[in-house]
Amino acid sequence: MPEGAMMIYTGGKLKIKLCEAKILKDDRIFFKMDPFCVLEVSGHQKKYRTKVANGQGKNPHWNDVFEITVPDINHEIKYAVMDDKLLGNATLGFGII
């Protein structure tokens, strides 16, 4: 890049592979949790969801790959690890990238 030139990021695609999670607390008494993960880019309606890791409890493995469009560097990627339950999902943890 020439001296004094500035690179402008106008967005693009980001490939994310969700491999696994380490969950500290299991809130179920009789059965293991069925975790899944949801990704969302701030300001966008589309959500990306892994498959449910049925019966994998505190150590789920997904190895799911998502290609996400990120409009610019000011957008955050939010994620949440959830437990798939019959009467609604429970949030196990969340974060922002």
Side-chain angles (χ1 to χ4, degrees):
M1 186 179 304
E3 186 177 328
M6 186 170 70
M7 187 166 72
I8 299 174
Y9 178 77
T10 58
K13 299 224 181 254
L14 177 65
K15 191 178 277 190
I16 296 177
K17 182 176 184 179
L18 290 168
C19 298
E20 62 185 29
K22 301 291 182 210
I23 302 168
L24 301 178
K25 184 178 178 185
D26 189 342
D27 67 347
R28 291 200 180 175
I29 297 171
F30 299 107
F31 303 102
K32 288 188 175 184
M33 294 182 294
D34 301 318
F36 65 95
C37 189
V38 178
L39 292 173
E40 178 181 6
V41 177
S42 62
H44 292 272
Q45 297 296 322
K46 185 170 182 179
K47 293 184 180 184
Y48 303 85
R49 180 181 161 156
T50 66
K51 61 187 172 286
V52 175
N54 288 311
Q56 292 188 26
K58 298 191 311 183
N59 298 299
H61 290 77
W62 300 290
N63 293 317
D64 289 355
V65 178
F66 301 98
E67 193 169 285
I68 297 174
T69 300
V70 180
D72 62 54
I73 60 172
N74 296 315
H75 283 76
E76 300 171 331
I77 299 172
K78 300 175 184 180
Y79 65 91
V81 178
M82 311 287 289
D83 184 14
D84 187 38
K85 293 185 175 187
L86 290 175
L87 300 174
N89 301 323
T91 301
L92 301 172
F94 58 91
I96 298 173
I97 301 171

